[in-house]
Amino acid sequence: MIKVGIIGGTGYTGVELLRLLVAHPEVELAVITSRGEKGLPVSALFPNLRGRVNLVFVEPDDTLLKGCDVVFFATPNGTAMQSAPALLEAGAKVIDLAADFRLRHAEDWERWYGMPHACPDLLAEAVYGLPEANRAAIRSARLVANPGCYPTAVQLGFLPLLEAGIVDPCSLIADAKSGVSGAGRKAEVGILLAEAGDNFKAYGVPAHRHLPEIRQGLAAVAGDPLDLVFVPHLTPMIRGIHATLYATLTVLDTDLQSLFEKRYADEPFVDVLPPKSHPETRSVRGANQCRLAVHRPRDGKTVVVLSVIDNLVKGAAGQAVQNMNLMFGLPETVGLEGIALLP
Amino acid sequence: MIKVGIIGGTGYTGVELLRLLVAHPEVELAVITSRGEKGLPVSALFPNLRGRVNLVFVEPDDTLLKGCDVVFFATPNGTAMQSAPALLEAGAKVIDLAADFRLRHAEDWERWYGMPHACPDLLAEAVYGLPEANRAAIRSARLVANPGCYPTAVQLGFLPLLEAGIVDPCSLIADAKSGVSGAGRKAEVGILLAEAGDNFKAYGVPAHRHLPEIRQGLAAVAGDPLDLVFVPHLTPMIRGIHATLYATLTVLDTDLQSLFEKRYADEPFVDVLPPKSHPETRSVRGANQCRLAVHRPRDGKTVVVLSVIDNLVKGAAGQAVQNMNLMFGLPETVGLEGIALLP
Amino acid sequence: MIKVGIIGGTGYTGVELLRLLVAHPEVELAVITSRGEKGLPVSALFPNLRGRVNLVFVEPDDTLLKGCDVVFFATPNGTAMQSAPALLEAGAKVIDLAADFRLRHAEDWERWYGMPHACPDLLAEAVYGLPEANRAAIRSARLVANPGCYPTAVQLGFLPLLEAGIVDPCSLIADAKSGVSGAGRKAEVGILLAEAGDNFKAYGVPAHRHLPEIRQGLAAVAGDPLDLVFVPHLTPMIRGIHATLYATLTVLDTDLQSLFEKRYADEPFVDVLPPKSHPETRSVRGANQCRLAVHRPRDGKTVVVLSVIDNLVKGAAGQAVQNMNLMFGLPETVGLEGIALLP
Amino acid sequence: MIKVGIIGGTGYTGVELLRLLVAHPEVELAVITSRGEKGLPVSALFPNLRGRVNLVFVEPDDTLLKGCDVVFFATPNGTAMQSAPALLEAGAKVIDLAADFRLRHAEDWERWYGMPHACPDLLAEAVYGLPEANRAAIRSARLVANPGCYPTAVQLGFLPLLEAGIVDPCSLIADAKSGVSGAGRKAEVGILLAEAGDNFKAYGVPAHRHLPEIRQGLAAVAGDPLDLVFVPHLTPMIRGIHATLYATLTVLDTDLQSLFEKRYADEPFVDVLPPKSHPETRSVRGANQCRLAVHRPRDGKTVVVLSVIDNLVKGAAGQAVQNMNLMFGLPETVGLEGIALLP
């Protein structure tokens, strides 16, 4: 059994991690911490876990955490970098669901996240946890930076095109739509039901923190220069990301459907739909799955890729468990076989 | 392995049955029928099942079905009664998720459902599949009438009070609210998102078919006379039933909290919340669970019970699997351990 | 022209008041105050008002406000009672959309609202602004307590029955459902789209502040003793209240439909639907309207009344404008002719 | 008074037309037709119109209709072209809210709409009713083709860029998102609340009928060649379109904000937001308004325009009334001053 600790865990990635780990046959949930909710039973905060999780939130405690085989950080940005070095030192593996270890260069991180990085030396060691791109490195990693939700959906859609070298890497557009759980479980007027319900809007068009993360991941494949326009939108639903991706083809005679199917043939969690399909976010609701469709409208020069994930599963907690499975030599799909809830 | 057939299965109870049965370790899905969709892969209709269900809808075929250990009817009312006798004759067990075998008296059925009953003689044998009331009979049943969604939520809330004889059985009011999936997957203007979204209304106040079913179940405990006012409402959500139940106390000194806790202490799928709680439908979304809270506002003469279920799980497919487990001597919770999806 | 001031106005009743008053032909919007948003153009906070409202939020300023003919308080409870006396003194009329002047007895107010009342002497003078019950008094009032949203829907539904003396006044049950805008425009986790969306729950069952207000209004008609069970619920929509009302008939031969139609025959904003109807909240979305239906299911002893309003219009801002019209001798419907937005 | 007839009118553009026309001071509603609902009071179908519209649906009747000053077609595609010639002949003006007269070339229409055109000779006379592009022609038109909802949002966003000649006309991408009322009031499984709620998907990526309409409108300004990729999406809300528009700048030193502000300075129904803004669909809910924002992310080569409308108002019924005002020499804004409903 893998002894697991969770730091943070009062947010949506936290409750989703708990839902998945409770049902994972190789996991023993040892400790979950929260300064704000210490003393509160987990199931009092998340009633879906009544009768299934008997843990109580405790204050972060080094002794308990250092005794874990793996520690998940489900914390705000800037927290994991404070504690990760000591945990790694003590022999625990670390999976950070926040952004602390996603960018390879400390100066990039500091510019986009507005604070100095507490352990820039670990950035070189940290492995970006997108298994479909970095599986081998993840297997041997001590420290995994779990990708952001938008970056997961966008990279999985663009990767086959960039790897094949058939699109102009300076023509990329990612028009992405997210459910509101992506904004987290925090008291903010803008994500109230009375504000975000029955409403649609873009946000962060001038700049969004997921842009450098996506750019870094894609440039690792395509090289530089690479140019991406990224426009996120808030859509009135709870879970789900739909990324609509555009690129200009430089090679026009590729069988795009076949390219995508081959690229993901062995991937347990990426599903390429038949030609002319339109994936729906609900088809992955609650499941660790990305579903893709590729189109070339009117046989023009623009390829359109449609990519859907559940932002809390393949976009966060599910991918974190997938990474844990890899890091501990387990079959990659253990504990992640849940079928999406539809309707 | 239990060999399972599903008749119908293109509706919401069908897809939910499939989601549960695919993951059930003791089940082999043998056949699923649909006249309208014959030839269509199940996963083409329900994309959440892609890669998990390889069956194709076929026309109803007696040979295939009679070879099953159990056949689920996920059909409109009036269908199961046509085929159930032959299947039972052939040795299959039958679980009907529609209403054909829910009322004990053929004349009641005919009045409420507007058609003659095709096998009234089976009504006496059929067992009403509410395990919390009829567990022993279900274990030995050949034919189970799976309860309606409203009747499940309402009966589980009223049972402790009526069994204890502490309320006036002529004072019962059930004010129930359902998500729109309860109306089924059918093309009707009234349940369009543009009609039912951001809207709330009652319906069927003069009479609703679930009334005689609830009345029959409660009278089995409380005897006659018993009077129930049942007002269902449509609420702009997909899954979930919230029943708010009112009764006039005739005995005022009962510890209501304790009464409920004791009644359901051994029930794996009924959860009594602590005093002053308000259960949420999302706390049971996708789970085979009923959560209850009992209140006596301002220490008055009226007891208020709040009861939530997922109409497609404990109110339909999950309860059907629970019944199957009982009928086949399996642990009652096998295949039903899924945790509710929150948020 | 009536010179109007608004105190508060950064919440949902504020923006709705603005929407209505901007289009009111007899109103000149003179000033709107907000300590928190002073200096901000109103249209920057509420983009629907761009090009229509050029006011900027200012700090409360006695000179400006005292020069108004009427001042609306769209503030939290406990604010209006601080400033109303001085404004009345200066000759302005006051309409409070919060609860400060709704209860006639200071001790009741203090118990339910948890603070001492700043001007208990004004409680006797304040007129409860439900025009359908108190029209004459409102016409001559200086100070109007605009009713709460639940109390409006509930009282309009019960009034005909209690006035006619045909129900047991100790048998009243109000099962009410509200959209989330009723909780206000404030940063709270419980009303996030990711929490309250696709979810249904009761709240405040042990006690809710609207209970004494409803009780007071109904007892004014029915006398004492009167007993009401009030159970509010949160429903996943933005606007709208649906009250489902139950009472035990003591006189069984009344023509209930005719009773309701006669009671409201001359009311411009109360619409009694034909027999067997089910009013929908969307039929009053954005409109100053209450729609009612009365049922007697299965000719039993229980009468069921269905009552819908838009909580922000007939339940708040619209009713406030209706009261203003009465107080200034204008036709009651001026500025309130807007038709509900459907779909 | 303008004597108005409506053909069709049982759908969402119909009820919205009625809401606007009832409140229009220069309009007399003379007749509304529906074969399917003849004999039914309009207010029985649309309860928001109770007490405001006393008309009953009648069968189409030439005598009545020919006596109208203007006839609106709120019918499915292919209907208006059957009756428009006779009405025009009789002296009535015609505004078609469907697509019959939107494309200038009959062969295009027949290819995209799959039926022969009944009066191809009228296509040359018909004026495309986008006032911001064709105001003068509309004023003198007998026959106006009211634009589609997507085409309105997309063209208003691209026009300033194409008129100024500062983008590559072969680089246009329109990623558009619509609420479900855009699909109409018809019984279809795909737009049920249980299907389209809490879900997001693209549709029609290979080809959508609004593509040639948008292309024709833009090419009228930019000339040929012009290439547009148009990807529509269904978003879980009732009203609203959000178009996110992308184009490659060929001239990099234009002040884009100023360009847009100047272009629309005199337009009563187009509102250019300040720099760095993100318009929300709810800011135009129920209002005849388009709100735009223009961005140039990270000073790159791609311009991003965000454009929102209410698909039933500026995208249908409101624009039709705007066209009527122009055709009859009325001030353009009469009857269209309604403020958007927020929240």
Side-chain angles (χ1 to χ4, degrees), chain C residues 12 15-16 18-20 22-23 45-53 181 198 238-239 271-274 280 282-286 289 291 310 312 336-343, chain D residues 12 15-16 18-20 22-23 45-53 181 198 238-239 271-274 280 282-286 289 291 310 312 336-343:
Chain C
Y12 294 140
V15 61
E16 194 66 357
L18 288 164
R19 185 178 72 88
L20 295 171
V22 161
L45 194 66
F46 298 124
N48 61 327
L49 299 175
R50 277 179 60 87
R52 303 300 291 275
V53 174
S181 63
D198 214 56
I238 297 176
R239 286 170 179 245
D271 176 27
V272 178
L273 302 191
E280 309 181 64
R282 64 177 184 150
S283 77
V284 296
R285 184 191 294 138
Q289 195 78 30
R291 297 199 202 272
D310 183 324
L312 297 180
L336 295 171
E337 303 91 344
I339 295 175
L341 202 66
L342 177 159
Chain D
Y12 294 140
V15 62
E16 194 67 356
L18 287 165
R19 184 178 71 89
L20 295 172
V22 161
L45 195 65
F46 298 124
N48 60 327
L49 300 174
R50 278 178 60 88
R52 303 300 291 275
V53 173
S181 64
D198 214 56
I238 297 176
R239 286 170 179 244
D271 176 28
V272 179
L273 302 191
E280 308 182 64
R282 65 177 184 150
S283 77
V284 297
R285 185 191 293 139
Q289 195 79 30
R291 297 198 202 271
D310 182 323
L312 297 179
L336 296 171
E337 303 90 344
I339 295 175
L341 203 65
L342 178 158

Side-chain angles (χ1 to χ4, degrees), chain C residues 108-227:
Chain C
D108 283 352
W109 200 87
E110 293 175 2
R111 190 171 56 229
W112 284 93
Y113 291 89
M115 51 183 137
H117 201 287
C119 50
D121 45 313
L122 280 177
L123 292 178
E125 179 186 346
V127 174
Y128 187 69
L130 189 66
E132 292 77 9
N134 294 332
R135 184 168 282 113
I138 295 165
R139 281 196 215 275
S140 54
R142 285 197 309 165
L143 170 59
V144 162
N146 211 56
C149 47
Y150 284 126
T152 297
V154 172
Q155 289 177 81
L156 291 176
F158 274 135
L159 278 179
L161 299 169
L162 291 170
E163 288 171 358
I166 59 171
V167 295
D168 173 358
C170 290
S171 72
L172 309 181
I173 292 175
D175 187 292
K177 302 87 175 171
S178 176
V180 293
S181 63
R185 183 175 168 276
K186 58 192 171 206
E188 279 184 7
V189 167
I191 50 176
L192 294 180
L193 171 45
E195 299 280 314
D198 214 56
N199 187 34
F200 194 91
K201 67 170 181 179
Y203 66 100
V205 179
H208 186 286
R209 288 168 172 181
H210 282 171
L211 178 61
E213 180 184 341
I214 298 170
R215 214 198 156 289
Q216 171 182 283
L218 297 180
V221 170
D224 260 316
L226 181 142
D227 198 12

Side-chain angles (χ1 to χ4, degrees), chain D residues 23-330:
Chain D
H24 194 294
E26 303 293 332
V27 161
E28 175 200 344
L29 258 178
V31 58
I32 180 163
T33 76
S34 162
R35 285 184 210 281
E37 303 292 355
K38 71 170 169 172
L40 189 75
V42 168
S43 64
L45 195 65
F46 298 124
N48 60 327
L49 300 174
R50 278 178 60 88
R52 303 300 291 275
V53 173
N54 294 317
L55 290 175
V56 170
F57 289 109
V58 297
E59 274 211 85
D61 171 325
D62 268 15
T63 317
L64 277 174
L65 290 166
K66 286 178 179 168
C68 290
D69 298 308
V70 61
V71 174
F72 292 90
F73 283 87
T75 45
N77 297 323
T79 304
M81 65 186 184
Q82 305 299 338
S83 316
L87 291 170
L88 292 169
E89 182 74 19
K93 294 178 196 282
V94 168
I95 300 174
D96 179 26
L97 285 84
D100 294 17
F101 300 99
R102 288 183 193 158
L103 300 184
R104 299 198 73 73
H105 302 293
E107 60 273 33
D108 283 352
W109 199 86
E110 294 175 2
R111 191 172 56 230
W112 284 94
Y113 290 90
M115 51 181 136
H117 201 286
C119 50
D121 46 312
L122 279 177
L123 291 179
E125 180 188 345
V127 175
Y128 187 70
L130 189 65
E132 292 77 8
N134 294 332
R135 183 167 283 113
I138 295 165
R139 281 194 215 276
S140 54
R142 285 197 310 165
L143 170 58
V144 163
N146 211 56
C149 48
Y150 284 127
T152 297
V154 173
Q155 290 176 81
L156 291 176
F158 274 135
L159 278 179
L161 298 169
L162 291 169
E163 288 171 357
I166 58 170
V167 295
D168 173 359
C170 289
S171 71
L172 309 181
I173 293 175
D175 188 293
K177 302 87 176 171
S178 176
V180 293
S181 64
R185 184 175 167 277
K186 58 192 172 206
E188 279 184 6
V189 167
I191 49 175
L192 294 180
L193 172 45
E195 298 280 315
D198 214 56
N199 188 33
F200 194 92
K201 67 170 181 180
Y203 66 100
V205 179
H208 186 285
R209 287 168 172 181
H210 283 171
L211 177 61
E213 180 184 341
I214 298 170
R215 212 199 156 287
Q216 171 182 283
L218 297 180
V221 169
D224 261 317
L226 181 141
D227 199 12
L228 174 80
V229 173
F230 171 54
V231 177
H233 301 77
L234 197 61
T235 188
M237 61 185 184
I238 297 176
R239 286 170 179 244
I241 281 182
H242 186 291
T244 313
L245 308 173
Y246 303 89
T248 303
L249 290 162
T250 50
V251 177
L252 291 174
D253 58 356
T254 313
D255 178 337
L256 296 169
Q257 180 70 25
S258 167
L259 174 74
F260 273 70
E261 288 181 1
K262 280 182 190 150
R263 174 58 177 86
Y264 291 122
D266 297 327
E267 288 297 340
F269 297 122
V270 182
D271 176 28
V272 179
L273 302 191
K276 297 183 193 290
S277 295
H278 302 89
E280 308 182 64
T281 59
R282 65 177 184 150
S283 77
V284 297
R285 185 191 293 139
N288 194 56
Q289 195 79 30
C290 174
R291 297 198 202 271
L292 296 170
V294 58
H295 291 257
R296 189 177 158 202
R298 301 173 70 67
D299 294 328
K301 68 180 194 307
T302 306
V303 54
V304 179
V305 182
L306 312 174
S307 169
V308 300
I309 59 169
D310 182 323
N311 54 301
L312 297 179
V313 191
K314 183 60 180 166
Q319 188 145 266
V321 173
Q322 187 180 353
N323 282 318
M324 179 193 76
N325 287 344
L326 288 168
M327 294 162 85
F328 286 86
L330 299 173

Side-chain angles (χ1 to χ4, degrees), chain B residues 12-341:
Chain B
Y12 294 139
T13 51
V15 61
E16 194 66 357
L17 256 184
L18 288 163
R19 185 178 71 89
L20 295 172
L21 292 174
V22 161
H24 194 293
E26 303 293 332
V27 161
E28 176 201 345
L29 258 178
V31 57
I32 180 162
T33 77
S34 163
R35 284 186 211 280
E37 303 292 355
K38 71 170 169 172
L40 189 75
V42 169
S43 64
L45 195 64
F46 298 125
N48 60 327
L49 299 173
R50 278 179 60 89
R52 304 300 292 275
V53 173
N54 294 318
L55 291 174
V56 169
F57 288 109
V58 298
E59 274 213 81
D61 171 325
D62 269 15
T63 317
L64 277 173
L65 291 166
K66 285 179 180 168
C68 290
D69 298 309
V70 61
V71 174
F72 291 90
F73 283 87
T75 45
N77 297 324
T79 304
M81 66 185 184
Q82 305 298 338
S83 315
L87 291 169
L88 292 170
E89 182 74 20
K93 295 178 196 283
V94 167
I95 300 175
D96 178 26
L97 284 84
D100 293 17
F101 299 101
R102 287 183 194 157
L103 301 184
R104 300 199 71 74
H105 302 293
E107 59 273 33
D108 283 352
W109 199 87
E110 294 175 1
R111 190 173 55 227
W112 284 93
Y113 291 90
M115 52 183 136
H117 201 286
C119 51
D121 46 313
L122 279 177
L123 291 178
E125 180 187 343
V127 174
Y128 186 70
L130 189 67
E132 293 76 8
N134 294 331
R135 184 168 281 112
I138 295 165
R139 281 196 216 276
S140 55
R142 287 195 310 164
L143 171 58
V144 162
N146 211 57
C149 48
Y150 285 126
T152 297
V154 173
Q155 289 176 81
L156 291 176
F158 274 134
L159 278 180
L161 298 170
L162 291 170
E163 288 171 358
I166 59 169
V167 295
D168 173 358
C170 290
S171 71
L172 309 182
I173 292 174
D175 188 291
K177 300 87 176 171
S178 176
V180 293
S181 64
R185 183 176 168 277
K186 57 191 174 208
E188 279 184 7
V189 167
I191 50 175
L192 295 180
L193 172 44
E195 298 280 314
D198 214 56
N199 188 33
F200 193 92
K201 67 169 180 180
Y203 65 101
V205 179
H208 186 285
R209 287 166 171 183
H210 282 171
L211 176 63
E213 180 184 343
I214 298 170
R215 214 199 155 287
Q216 171 182 282
L218 297 180
V221 170
D224 259 318
L226 181 141
D227 199 12
L228 175 79
V229 173
F230 171 53
V231 177
H233 302 76
L234 197 62
T235 188
M237 62 185 184
I238 297 175
R239 288 170 178 245
I241 282 182
H242 185 292
T244 312
L245 309 174
Y246 303 89
T248 304
L249 290 162
T250 51
V251 177
L252 290 173
D253 59 356
T254 314
D255 177 339
L256 295 169
Q257 180 70 24
S258 167
L259 174 74
F260 273 70
E261 288 181 1
K262 281 182 190 149
R263 174 58 179 86
Y264 292 123
D266 297 327
E267 286 299 340
F269 297 122
V270 183
D271 176 29
V272 178
L273 302 191
K276 298 183 193 288
S277 294
H278 303 89
E280 307 182 65
T281 59
R282 64 178 186 150
S283 76
V284 298
R285 185 191 293 140
N288 194 56
Q289 195 79 31
C290 173
R291 297 198 202 273
L292 296 171
V294 58
H295 292 257
R296 188 178 158 202
R298 302 174 70 68
D299 295 327
K301 67 181 196 307
T302 305
V303 54
V304 179
V305 182
L306 312 174
S307 170
V308 300
I309 59 169
D310 182 325
N311 55 302
L312 298 178
V313 192
K314 183 63 178 163
Q319 188 144 267
V321 173
Q322 186 180 355
N323 281 319
M324 179 194 76
N325 286 343
L326 289 169
M327 293 162 85
F328 286 86
L330 299 172
E332 196 166 336
T333 59
V334 179
L336 295 171
E337 304 90 345
I339 295 175
L341 202 66

Side-chain angles (χ1 to χ4, degrees), chain A residues 4-5 60 63 80 102 112 121 141 151 166 171 175 188 235 250 268 301:
Chain A
V4 169
T63 316
R102 289 183 193 156
W112 284 93
D121 46 313
I166 59 170
S171 72
D175 188 290
E188 279 184 6
T235 188
T250 50
K301 66 180 198 307

